[in-house]
Amino acid sequence: MLDFFKRLCGFGTDIGIDLGTATVLVYVKDKGIVIREPSVVAIDKTTGQVIKVGVEAQEMLGRTPGNIVAIRPLREGVISDYETTEKMLKYFLSKVNASKLFKPRVIVCVPSGVTEVEQRAVIDATIHAGARAVHIIEEPIAAAIGAGLPVGEPVGSMIADLGAGTSEVAVVSLGDIVASNSVRVGGDDMDDAIIAYIRRKHNLLIGARTAEDIKIKIGSAYPYDGEAAINIKGRNLVDGLPKNIIITSEEVRDAMFDTIMQIVDNIRLTLEKT
């Protein structure tokens, strides 16, 4: 009977979750990555009910009626809205865990610079969302393992994990972090910098989704051959009417320069510690 209960307690799904500022990745043992969706939740403000999660919720950003709000419950790699994060996790866990009887074991990635309070919030939210047990792993370690670096060997391996809300650089050896540095700067800050630059230089107001599209299509940290330009649409701040302009990759690089240099400085600081 004891052996039966030991086997029973071992049932359930093993799940890995990368709780990113912009995107949530869910990995299921023996299946690989089964969910890759934006960390956005649409909620009815009057009832508190979740309307949409993930891709469908992201499409509602900036386009919702007064009683519905689409929000991103994670900021700079940590939970900024506990209840909404819990609801989002519950939704994703229910999608991947077919068993209603056995709760899954979950490993969650967190930035290396989080406080104990922030780490506890991640654990509590995941438990309340339906996990049986929660284990925390620092994002640089998870990234290094995923990249195939020899993390368990007595040699130094550097990993730079650049996310939407945080940029982490770490040197890993013998299965642990030897030196690391984390700054709460990332892709979201690049988007904000592009919005501010276009507003300042072209008197044009664009949204966060347009800025991200510009960054992905022609953004760079260094000049490259065959640099491109794209046509973008926004609201003219002079007369309030829609307006189209052409923006070049050189302009985008200038807009993101300060943010990129913060990331470069982060790498330099980690090398100094090493």
Side-chain angles (χ1 to χ4, degrees):
M1 183 65 73
L2 180 61
D3 289 338
F4 168 77
F5 279 113
K6 283 182 179 179
R7 290 196 300 272
L8 187 67
C9 291
F11 287 173
T13 309
D14 289 325
I15 296 173
I17 299 178
D18 181 7
L19 207 56
T21 304
T23 307
V24 173
L25 300 177
V26 180
Y27 174 93
V28 176
K29 187 178 180 181
D30 299 327
K31 293 183 180 179
I33 294 175
V34 295
I35 292 177
R36 187 194 301 268
E37 294 198 35
S39 26
V40 182
V41 182
I43 293 179
D44 188 327
K45 291 193 292 185
T46 56
T47 63
Q49 182 181 357
V50 173
I51 307 298
K52 298 289 183 183
V53 178
V55 175
E56 293 178 331
Q58 186 182 45
E59 292 173 352
M60 299 171 71
L61 279 172
R63 304 173 184 176
T64 58
N67 65 314
I68 296 176
V69 58
I71 59 175
R72 292 170 62 176
L74 296 155
R75 284 286 180 270
E76 298 176 341
V78 296
I79 294 174
S80 61
D81 187 326
Y82 181 88
E83 290 185 3
T84 305
T85 302
E86 183 183 322
K87 291 175 181 177
M88 181 178 70
L89 284 169
K90 187 175 292 184
Y91 170 81
F92 287 134
L93 288 176
S94 66
K95 284 187 70 174
V96 299
N97 188 42
S99 172
K100 303 299 180 184
L101 180 60
F102 303 108
K103 294 182 177 181
R105 292 175 299 224
V106 180
I107 294 178
V108 184
C109 295
V110 298
S112 60
V114 299
T115 64
E116 288 187 16
V117 173
E118 291 167 337
Q119 194 173 113
R120 187 73 242 173
V122 172
I123 294 172
D124 290 345
T126 311
I127 290 288
H128 292 154
R132 168 162 53 97
V134 180
H135 302 280
I136 296 295
I137 183 171
E138 293 176 314
E139 287 177 358
I141 290 286
I145 293 171
L149 296 177
V151 294
E153 298 180 14
V155 294
S157 300
M158 174 175 271
I159 189 85
D161 183 5
L162 311 182
T166 59
S167 296
E168 301 190 71
V169 183
V171 175
V172 180
S173 180
L174 289 174
D176 206 352
I177 294 174
V178 176
S180 68
N181 209 51
S182 176
V183 291
R184 296 192 174 183
V185 172
D188 284 350
D189 298 277
M190 294 180 190
D191 297 342
D192 292 341
I194 291 169
I195 292 170
Y197 179 90
I198 292 174
R199 180 174 186 147
R200 183 175 65 251
K201 185 172 180 180
H202 297 283
N203 282 324
L204 193 75
L205 183 63
I206 62 171
R209 292 179 68 181
T210 302
E212 184 180 30
D213 194 45
I214 293 168
K215 176 186 68 181
I216 292 170
K217 287 182 176 177
I218 62 171
S220 71
Y222 199 76
Y224 61 94
D225 293 334
E227 292 194 353
I230 59 171
N231 183 36
I232 63 169
K233 181 187 290 184
R235 180 165 63 87
N236 191 336
L237 293 172
V238 176
D239 55 21
L241 297 175
K243 179 183 176 182
N244 286 49
I245 65 166
I246 301 293
I247 185 166
T248 66
S249 54
E250 183 180 359
E251 288 181 288
V252 178
R253 192 161 53 248
D254 289 343
M256 299 191 302
F257 178 78
D258 289 342
T259 305
I260 291 169
M261 288 311 299
Q262 289 185 63
I263 295 170
V264 172
D265 288 341
N266 190 27
I267 294 172
R268 185 182 295 115
L269 283 170
T270 308
L271 285 170
E272 287 177 2
K273 288 182 182 179
T274 307

